[in-house]
Amino acid sequence: MNRLLLDIGNSTVVIAHSDAEGNIKDTWRLMTRKHETISFFRREIRAGLYNFGLLQKDGTIEKIDSIVISSVVPEINDKLSQAIFDVTGVTPHFFSLEDAMKVISIQIESPSQLGKDRLADAIGARCCYGAPAIVIDMGTATTVGVINDEGVFIGGMIIPGVKTSLKALSTKASQLPTVNIEKPRNMIGRNTLECMQSGIVYGTASMIDGLIDRILPTLGKDVKIIATGGNARQIIPYCNHKITVDPYLQFKGISRCTE
């Protein structure tokens, strides 16, 4: 069985190739470009299928049984959906609140406003790791989701993401350069570059540790802490808490409630 799972985020679209058991076999990433044409997305979908070995050089496409999309960027939903159908002949299903509520209870104000990425993260955490749990997704925004000991999603936090914060800092402060997100040579920076790297790496890690410290007393014992998202591997190793990094958490959540 061949299944495609798509995560349309504010910065990137990640396409995952999944088997019948929901195991992720490979991923393909492209930039989220709101103003691109259907033709652009057709080319990218073909490139992804070729990368997965599902598209042969002669144009033959292996059978794709289902395609599920989780999106927080509605501006490109129609174009990407049409491109997928044009290339594969499969009409994609958009992961919804109704899908999520088949698997997890949600006790927040206005559940319809909850991002699909946060829903999928919560489901992946609960189904794969158990409850209670804290889920940290480090993308364009850093989000925190909290699942209580009864397996209910009870809310969380939304914080400017690592790269978003860095970009704002470099843009607004004329004497501060653009830097890579990596561990500085000295934790107490000896120059501007080290100071910025230390601030973003250790500062973000300390923020995450501090938020976890404040959340833990509300959840009881044996709390699982899981991180995902494009910046997790760069920051989480410098946190003091034991945090499991799972790059496929969101796809696992989508897969669990759309089988």
Side-chain angles (χ1 to χ4, degrees), residues 175-191:
Q175 291 188 313
L176 295 182
T178 300
V179 300
N180 294 324
I181 303 170
E182 58 186 42
K183 179 184 177 182
R185 287 183 301 172
N186 299 293
M187 194 272 287
I188 300 175
R190 303 290 298 277
N191 54 54

Side-chain angles (χ1 to χ4, degrees), residues 99-161:
D99 292 326
M101 292 180 70
K102 295 175 185 176
V103 180
I104 193 169
S105 296
I106 302 167
Q107 293 183 1
I108 63 170
E109 297 177 6
S110 304
S112 61
Q113 296 179 7
L114 185 62
K116 303 302 184 298
D117 52 347
R118 298 182 67 198
L119 277 173
D121 285 340
I123 292 166
R126 181 178 179 274
C127 292
C128 298
Y129 296 93
I134 299 170
V135 188
I136 303 146
D137 191 331
M138 305 189 70
T140 303
T142 294
T143 64
V144 179
V146 181
I147 304 160
N148 69 15
D149 57 359
E150 296 177 348
V152 177
F153 181 86
I154 59 173
M157 301 156 187
I158 301 175
I159 307 145

Side-chain angles (χ1 to χ4, degrees), residues 5 21 27 37 42 75-76 84 99 148 156 158-159 163-164 170 183 204 216 229 251:
L5 305 171
E21 288 72 40
T27 59
T37 64
R42 286 195 201 102
E75 294 92 331
I76 71 171
I84 288 170
D99 292 326
N148 69 15
I158 301 175
I159 307 145
K163 290 183 179 179
T164 303
S170 298
K183 179 184 177 182
T204 304
L216 283 176
F251 292 123

Side-chain angles (χ1 to χ4, degrees), residues 134 205-218 225 240-241:
I134 299 170
S206 297
M207 176 196 69
I208 290 170
D209 279 329
L211 291 175
I212 292 170
D213 287 338
R214 289 171 180 258
I215 295 169
L216 283 176
T218 71
I225 308 174
N240 291 327
H241 284 281

Side-chain angles (χ1 to χ4, degrees), residues 50 55-60:
Y50 184 77
L55 173 63
Q56 307 305 316
K57 290 184 178 180
D58 63 3
T60 303

